[in-house]
Amino acid sequence: MGEDHTPTYVAKGEEFSRDMNYIPDRILAGASSQDPRDDEFPSGSKDSPRDVQVWPVEPGRYRLVAAKACPWANRAIIVRKLLGLEDVISLGLPGPTHDKRSWTFDLDPGGVDPVLGYERLQQAYFARFPDYSRGITVPAMVDVPTKAVVTNDFPQITHDLFFEWRDHHRPDAPDLWPDDLREEMESVMKRVFTEVNNGVYRCGFAGSQETYDAAYDRLWTAMDWLEDRLTDRRFLMGDAITEADVRLFTTLARFDAVYHGHFKCNRNKLAEMPALWGYARDLFQTPGFGETIDFDQIKAHYYVVHTDVNPSGIIPKGPALEAWHSPHGRA
């Protein structure tokens, strides 16, 4: 028998803990391709650490590999679209299902990414680190000339698309990181990540009843806080869309279709929370958001890949998704 490539996600008796150790490289404005660590970086400098390898911003040089099924990758797809970077950074789209080794390009003709020539994203990681032993995650920025991964640090990727690629944004691109709201926004995003984005996984991959119960209570405390916050403001930070909204949206878009049942986050559906449901539809109907959501791919990913949570591999037909297009009344 060959090696078993079936991934596992639940550690019996343990709380789920996400490995946040990603490739820390940055793509920065002002960096050179000769000796990048010696350069000055005028753009977004307060957010640009000097102790990592950096790469230069160059239109056409990088490929964003981001599966539509994955909420963390979905963020990068949305931000790229909102900022108008489609012609500046190309997009590779792996299919929704994968084994323990890697996301695969099974949606492309011949199962090969047309730019990188790879069948598996794993190949881009190994081109840079032949002995890479961590998870092969999306989103990943890949250097097209060398076909090697640059970074898979998902929160930093969307941050840098805004701050470091400004010279290439469309003229009317939204201000996703407003200076006057920055401190509060960082606090909001931290709570959204720990309690909601990651909170649903803490429920779904809990290894005991006790860790599940604790995760469930934490999630719904945060969901109630969001419901209250969005009752008297259109978006998380006020009247305009920010990075905080992008980060929350990708979880909300998957909530009723996946997290409610598959991850046992079933106190109630998103559609039963008036402010959050209206807010989620408002974003879904905003250009740059809804067209990045593929519910079939989302359901296939969770229900097929997580074999220790859903051993049958059966994908549910529901829920009905037409309501995402119904009037939201948030304007």
Side-chain angles (χ1 to χ4, degrees):
M1 293 180 65
E3 184 182 350
D4 183 8
H5 293 297
T6 304
T8 56
Y9 297 91
V10 179
K12 191 168 179 61
E14 296 181 17
E15 178 185 35
F16 170 70
S17 178
R18 183 175 299 280
D19 180 3
M20 290 293 289
N21 192 343
Y22 296 100
I23 302 167
D25 292 27
R26 306 280 300 281
I27 300 171
L28 302 181
S32 75
S33 53
Q34 284 75 39
D35 195 0
R37 278 167 285 192
D38 292 336
D39 285 343
E40 294 293 329
F41 313 115
S43 173
S45 59
K46 68 179 181 179
D47 299 296
S48 301
R50 301 293 182 267
D51 57 350
V52 300
Q53 183 169 340
V54 300
W55 304 63
V57 164
E58 287 182 16
R61 174 168 177 172
Y62 304 99
R63 188 159 178 81
L64 171 64
V65 178
K68 286 187 174 183
C70 169
W72 319 105
N74 197 173
R75 292 180 181 186
I77 296 173
I78 292 171
V79 170
R80 172 180 173 270
K81 204 167 187 69
L82 290 176
L83 299 178
L85 293 170
E86 295 98 321
D87 294 332
V88 179
I89 302 169
S90 67
L91 179 64
L93 295 168
T97 61
H98 60 81
D99 60 19
K100 191 174 184 177
R101 290 171 291 177
S102 173
W103 296 84
T104 56
F105 295 102
D106 49 292
L107 301 179
D108 291 307
V112 174
D113 180 88
V115 171
L116 301 174
Y118 290 152
E119 295 180 354
R120 292 180 171 274
L121 178 57
Q122 185 183 53
Q123 294 168 267
Y125 280 70
F126 288 169
R128 176 89 186 278
F129 307 106
D131 57 350
Y132 192 81
S133 60
R134 294 184 176 275
I136 308 298
T137 64
V138 288
M141 293 288 278
V142 179
D143 180 44
V144 174
T146 60
K147 299 183 180 180
V149 68
V150 173
T151 179
N152 61 342
D153 188 345
F154 67 89
Q156 199 66 60
I157 286 173
T158 54
H159 169 282
D160 289 350
L161 289 179
F162 180 77
F163 284 103
E164 303 298 333
W165 293 81
R166 285 187 196 228
D167 290 346
H168 308 285
H169 292 180
R170 60 182 172 85
D172 57 344
D175 183 0
L176 297 179
W177 294 78
D179 286 341
D180 59 329
L181 299 174
R182 181 73 183 270
E183 188 174 351
E184 183 189 2
M185 191 174 89
E186 295 276 13
S187 175
V188 168
M189 291 193 301
K190 182 177 181 180
R191 187 170 183 183
V192 166
F193 170 71
T194 59
E195 305 304 297
V196 181
N197 300 147
N198 204 41
V200 293
Y201 284 87
R202 205 181 291 112
C203 290
F205 295 156
S208 70
Q209 188 68 50
E210 291 73 23
T211 58
Y212 164 75
D213 289 348
Y216 178 97
D217 290 343
R218 281 180 63 177
L219 170 66
W220 287 106
T221 296
M223 291 289 281
D224 288 338
W225 162 69
L226 288 167
E227 177 72 9
D228 183 63
R229 184 178 180 91
L230 290 164
T231 296
D232 59 1
R233 66 181 82 198
R234 185 172 181 183
F235 303 111
L236 280 175
M237 303 310 301
D239 296 330
I241 290 169
T242 65
E243 171 90 8
D245 298 298
V246 176
R247 294 184 178 196
L248 177 57
F249 172 75
T250 59
T251 295
L252 297 184
R254 289 156 175 77
F255 202 90
D256 288 359
V258 174
Y259 302 143
H260 179 275
H262 181 61
F263 276 178
K264 307 179 182 70
C265 303
N266 62 350
R267 189 192 76 177
N268 53 258
K269 294 178 179 176
L270 176 68
E272 294 164 354
M273 303 184 79
L276 269 170
W277 176 225
Y279 162 83
R281 282 177 291 149
D282 190 0
L283 290 174
F284 185 89
Q285 294 169 32
T286 298
F289 285 84
E291 66 264 37
T292 73
I293 300 297
D294 187 316
F295 287 111
D296 289 337
Q297 287 195 40
I298 288 168
K299 289 192 294 183
H301 171 67
Y302 286 91
Y303 287 100
V304 172
V305 172
H306 301 158
T307 54
D308 45 355
V309 179
N310 184 44
S312 71
I314 294 171
I315 303 170
K317 291 184 71 173
L321 301 167
E322 293 81 4
W324 280 97
H325 299 280
S326 64
H328 53 75
R330 299 283 292 178

